[in-house]
Amino acid sequence: MLKTRLIAVVVIKGEVAVQSYEFKRYLPIGDPRVVVDYLNRWGVDEIVLLDIDATRGSRRPNFELLKACAHLCHVPVAFGGGIASLDDVSAAIYSGADKVVINSAALRLPSVVSDGALRFGNQSIIAAIDARSCGQGRYEAFGHSGTIPAACSPTELAKKFEASGAGEVLVTSIDRDGSKRGYDLELVTQIQSAVSLPVIACGGVGHPTHFLDAARIRVSGLAAANFFNHSEHSVLVAKRYLSAAGASVRLDHDAEKDRDRFDELGRTDKKEDPYLDSLYIERFVEEVI
Amino acid sequence: MGRSGIAIVNCGLGNIGSVANALEWLQEPYFLADGVTDLNDASGIILPGVGAFSAAMQRLGDSGLLDELRNQIYGRHKPVLGICIGMQILARTSEEGGLHSGLGWLDASVVKLQPGDALRVPHVGWNNVSTVRPSRLFKGIDNGAHFYFDHSYRFVCDSSFVTSVCDYGGAFNASIESGNIFATQFHPEKSQRNGLKLLRNFGAICREYR
């Protein structure tokens, strides 16, 4: 059975991976290559690298950094930020990206999506929609990292992207970005109803239960940026939470599959003392491939 | 004097970087077959898998490697691993983007994946692969192991070639084998440990060939 994907979004500003808050404030995390290396080891299902300086047009997409990060990954890597032409799509793919995320450019030049899909296949193109709530279940889509309004609604945009040949849709709530209030499920549901493509939700995860809420409405991918950088083994902890709750996720890890308890912030609680006393040190021999 | 190691045939099919990365991590000698016309010393061949079917066939034709590939694979029975679109081009025909001809090296056809209304296409993400007959490619890999898929079309052929299947609104062929020809619908180069094991097994098959 196809599993729901846990997707880590690594937001990159300059040469630094950052935490993002409502697309306005950014706090540094560190070297993107280290972030990607850890995520890969922690069993993440897919990684999205977003170069936000390139999105804002201040420079060309950072293909060198993409190459360095892709080198460390044995899971699919999608790259986005400033992809504005078929040449950019090609450059990203040849630098190691398995998929390309297109947002703003597609608003100005829809042929980027269709040309990219024709050359590299629909599955290589993820159409990204960033949206803000206008209240009463209405939303407005934006390009350029939330700064320029798109000419149409998120659902209309999603339909256009599908018609142009995109393989997946990544929908991000700008309001929820960094808020830890959970995904904007109304927005996600509207996009799911508008297209027949797989939809990835993003924006707002603060607790593993937010992943569960979206898994229950059968999204294809559960994406988060800040969340995976808040604690060690965040990917594994989230997957174990989801698995214990009955969600269908890939859990191929050697760590013991014991049931975790979580505090109100979504961090694993300390195990009971009698249990800790009963543990003994076991030598774990790493499998050599 | 040709290059040695596993030849990765880059015919502009897209991302050969992931396959190269995986082989490098495994320390399996490889080379990119870009601009190379002599694959005599290659221990095996990988046809990696990003791209639309007709574009892939076009570029393979333009690369000038088609005759050399036929020679190595049919004449010299060199092991070859097709991945995703690299599997699909082995078929006689494909429906993707209209009816197109493939290499026809296997009696097979490529048709649209139609899993039913509740399931979305492309089939993208991690899914279980169930082996249906023993294969050297799956040595040491659990039955039902997860691999990464991303496709909208599936490979239809006689069951005697099928080594594993996957379920997405019904079973479809996840991997095939016919003599020295191996192919997977999923992406071993993007499937973490299971994928690395499979590529290691292919490396071993290539070493046995020598």
Side-chain angles (χ1 to χ4, degrees), chain A:
Chain A
M1 181 175 50
L2 182 67
K3 305 296 180 295
T4 310
R5 289 171 285 165
L6 235 64
I7 301 174
V9 176
V10 183
V11 181
I12 300 172
K13 202 172 189 322
E15 301 285 318
V16 179
V18 296
Q19 301 208 44
S20 167
Y21 300 91
E22 290 175 73
F23 285 30
K24 286 184 203 141
R25 275 192 314 128
Y26 302 99
L27 297 177
I29 297 168
D31 188 338
R33 291 166 299 179
V34 173
V35 173
V36 165
D37 189 25
Y38 277 129
L39 289 167
N40 191 39
R41 285 168 201 259
W42 293 343
V44 80
D45 295 321
E46 195 158 338
I47 293 175
V48 176
L49 301 172
L50 289 182
D51 179 349
I52 53 177
D53 282 340
T55 298
R56 288 170 176 200
S58 42
R59 56 172 179 71
R60 298 276 300 132
N62 195 340
F63 296 121
E64 283 309 306
L65 185 57
L66 163 60
K67 206 177 282 187
C69 289
H71 193 68
L72 300 158
C73 263
H74 298 300
V75 290
V77 172
F79 181 82
I83 301 292
S85 64
L86 184 59
D87 282 346
D88 286 343
V89 176
S90 289
I93 300 238
Y94 291 121
S95 298
D98 300 297
K99 303 178 192 178
V100 171
V101 179
I102 303 181
N103 180 358
S104 312
L107 301 176
R108 288 192 314 273
L109 195 70
S111 61
V112 175
V113 173
S114 48
D115 290 344
L118 209 61
R119 168 92 69 91
F120 297 104
N122 307 67
Q123 60 268 37
S124 306
I125 310 291
I126 300 179
I129 298 173
D130 299 332
R132 282 194 178 94
S133 169
C134 312
Q136 279 124 30
R138 280 170 30 253
Y139 296 88
E140 198 179 354
F142 289 83
H144 273 279
S145 206
T147 55
I148 299 178
C152 53
S153 74
T155 46
E156 283 166 349
L157 203 51
K159 290 186 162 96
K160 280 190 191 175
F161 281 143
E162 180 171 27
S164 297
E168 301 175 67
V169 177
L170 167 65
V171 54
T172 302
S173 161
I174 302 174
D175 311 302
R176 298 288 179 111
D177 182 45
S179 70
K180 300 196 196 179
R181 290 188 288 134
Y183 291 121
D184 185 333
L185 294 174
E186 171 57 37
L187 170 64
V188 174
T189 305
Q190 284 187 15
I191 301 294
Q192 279 183 299
S193 303
V195 294
S196 60
L197 299 176
V199 174
I200 302 167
C202 193
V205 176
H207 188 286
T209 199
H210 297 145
F211 284 133
L212 190 58
D213 295 335
R216 289 193 167 133
I217 60 167
R218 297 169 54 100
V219 292
S220 171
L222 304 162
N226 302 350
F227 178 83
F228 290 119
N229 293 299
H230 286 161
S231 60
E232 274 195 21
H233 302 291
S234 53
V235 173
L236 181 60
V237 164
K239 283 191 172 189
R240 279 158 63 166
Y241 181 94
L242 285 163
S243 185
S248 171
V249 290
R250 176 180 73 107
L251 199 55
D252 289 336
H253 206 273
D254 296 316
E256 66 175 41
K257 295 171 165 47
D258 194 13
R259 194 193 171 105
D260 288 312
R261 287 175 315 128
F262 296 85
D263 68 10
E264 66 283 353
L265 295 177
R267 295 174 304 196
T268 43
D269 240 343
K270 173 180 166 285
K271 291 200 166 28
E272 311 279 338
D273 285 341
Y275 173 78
L276 291 173
D277 286 339
S278 76
L279 291 177
Y280 59 94
I281 305 299
E282 187 179 309
R283 177 144 194 265
F284 172 68
V285 179
E286 185 167 354
E287 184 185 24
V288 174
I289 298 177

Side-chain angles (χ1 to χ4, degrees), chain B residues 63-187:
Chain B
S63 74
L65 268 176
L66 217 38
D67 287 339
E68 178 63 1
L69 284 173
R70 269 196 205 100
N71 173 36
Q72 296 298 326
I73 294 165
Y74 276 90
R76 307 182 103 234
H77 303 290
K78 216 154 252 186
V80 59
L81 174 65
I83 298 173
C84 197
I85 203 78
M87 172 187 193
Q88 295 182 354
I89 56 175
L90 300 174
R92 292 199 198 284
T93 58
S94 169
E95 286 178 359
E96 184 179 2
L99 193 62
H100 293 280
S101 296
L103 295 170
W105 290 351
L106 287 171
D107 188 5
S109 60
V110 173
V111 301
K112 195 145 190 29
L113 192 59
Q114 287 171 313
D117 285 339
L119 297 173
R120 296 176 181 243
V121 174
H123 172 226
V124 52
W126 297 80
N127 202 339
N128 306 94
V129 168
S130 309
T131 37
V132 296
R133 64 181 174 97
S135 166
R136 288 172 291 162
L137 211 55
F138 286 88
K139 181 165 164 259
I141 297 172
D142 292 338
N143 189 13
H146 288 109
F147 286 89
Y148 192 88
F149 290 84
D150 195 355
H151 60 116
S152 305
Y153 289 79
R154 63 186 177 91
F155 191 91
V156 176
C157 66
D158 189 84
S159 58
S160 61
F161 297 129
V162 178
T163 45
S164 74
V165 295
C166 178
D167 181 79
Y168 192 56
F172 67 88
N173 298 326
S175 67
I176 57 97
E177 183 177 328
S178 176
N180 55 314
I181 300 178
F182 301 84
T184 63
Q185 180 62 72
F186 52 82
H187 289 270

